[in-house]
Amino acid sequence: MSKRDLKKYVSELNKEQLEEQIIDLYEKFQPVKVYYNFVFNPKEESLLQDSKLKISNEYFPIKKLGRRSKPKMRRSVAQKLIKHFVVLGVDPFVIADVMLYNIEIAQAYSSENLIKQELFYKSMFNSFEQAVEFIISNGIYAEFKMRIVSIFQETVDQKWINQYEFERIISRLEF
């Protein structure tokens, strides 16, 4: 069904039928329920803290039964959270905060642990590039400039193998 067909169908429904359709969608489909729960009770600060906890747990796992779990360092966890925030329509400041936090926590981990996987550095660069593009496209660069520069400086300080790629992004930004 095309969007135009859907609009025509919806316009032919009376108010009660439309309400019934929305309630059915809410009850049957979890994403619809999540969306409406967010719309009517955003709690962005709670979402932000939960997402940061999940991301940090990828690098610094919480001890379970006295044992420390091995870090998984999965970029996909942060990417799923960010995508979910975009779909919900979360404030761009919150999304940008999570994007940068993901890189910062990875840098905190790499400052204490030698990482030999080249893929780690490549994925962190991809995250950095996406974050900078998102921040610029949403017109909030001034608010995040210091964190962006700090992330770049940390790649230099830690002598990341791809620090020059980070520098290429930084050099294109206006200071």
Side-chain angles (χ1 to χ4, degrees):
M1 174 183 270
S2 70
K3 188 174 179 180
R4 189 171 57 142
D5 291 340
L6 178 63
K7 282 182 178 184
K8 182 181 176 195
Y9 170 73
V10 168
S11 70
E12 293 171 356
L13 298 174
N14 65 34
K15 183 180 178 194
E16 290 172 4
Q17 292 171 321
L18 191 55
E19 288 172 354
E20 192 176 304
Q21 289 260 327
I22 292 173
I23 296 300
D24 283 345
L25 290 171
Y26 181 86
E27 291 173 347
K28 290 181 182 178
F29 299 103
Q30 185 64 23
V32 174
K33 188 173 188 170
V34 169
Y35 173 76
Y36 278 111
N37 287 342
F38 177 76
V39 167
F40 292 108
N41 193 8
K43 294 184 181 177
E44 286 185 347
E45 188 59 36
S46 175
L47 276 175
L48 176 63
Q49 295 310 317
D50 289 346
S51 66
K52 285 184 174 183
L53 180 63
K54 287 177 184 174
I55 293 168
S56 66
N57 196 40
E58 285 296 305
Y59 297 92
F60 301 100
I62 299 168
K63 291 182 181 181
K64 294 181 183 176
L65 299 172
R67 295 186 330 214
R68 186 165 177 98
S69 300
K70 185 177 178 183
K72 295 180 181 166
M73 304 186 315
R74 295 176 297 193
R75 177 180 179 249
S76 63
V77 170
Q79 292 304 107
K80 284 179 186 175
L81 290 166
I82 292 163
K83 183 179 178 185
H84 181 65
F85 282 12
V86 170
V87 167
L88 287 177
V90 173
D91 187 293
F93 283 90
V94 174
I95 296 170
D97 185 19
V98 171
M99 292 174 120
L100 295 178
Y101 179 79
N102 176 47
I103 303 163
E104 293 162 341
I105 199 74
Q107 287 182 323
Y109 180 81
S110 70
S111 72
E112 299 172 6
N113 301 280
L114 177 65
I115 299 174
K116 296 179 183 178
Q117 300 94 344
E118 199 171 311
L119 188 58
F120 168 83
Y121 299 103
K122 183 177 180 177
S123 77
M124 285 304 112
F125 172 73
N126 288 340
S127 291
F128 182 73
E129 189 173 40
Q130 288 169 356
V132 170
E133 287 174 11
F134 178 84
I135 288 166
I136 290 170
S137 70
N138 280 280
I140 53 178
Y141 176 70
E143 291 83 351
F144 290 97
K145 177 182 174 182
M146 294 307 297
R147 283 177 72 184
I148 291 169
V149 171
S150 178
I151 287 169
F152 163 66
Q153 189 57 52
E154 192 64 26
T155 66
V156 173
D157 294 347
Q158 292 186 29
K159 297 177 177 55
W160 278 18
I161 60 174
N162 61 347
Q163 65 183 297
Y164 298 108
E165 292 180 58
F166 284 81
E167 184 176 19
R168 183 177 44 85
I169 299 292
I170 290 291
S171 67
R172 288 188 283 165
L173 301 174
E174 223 178 290
F175 289 101

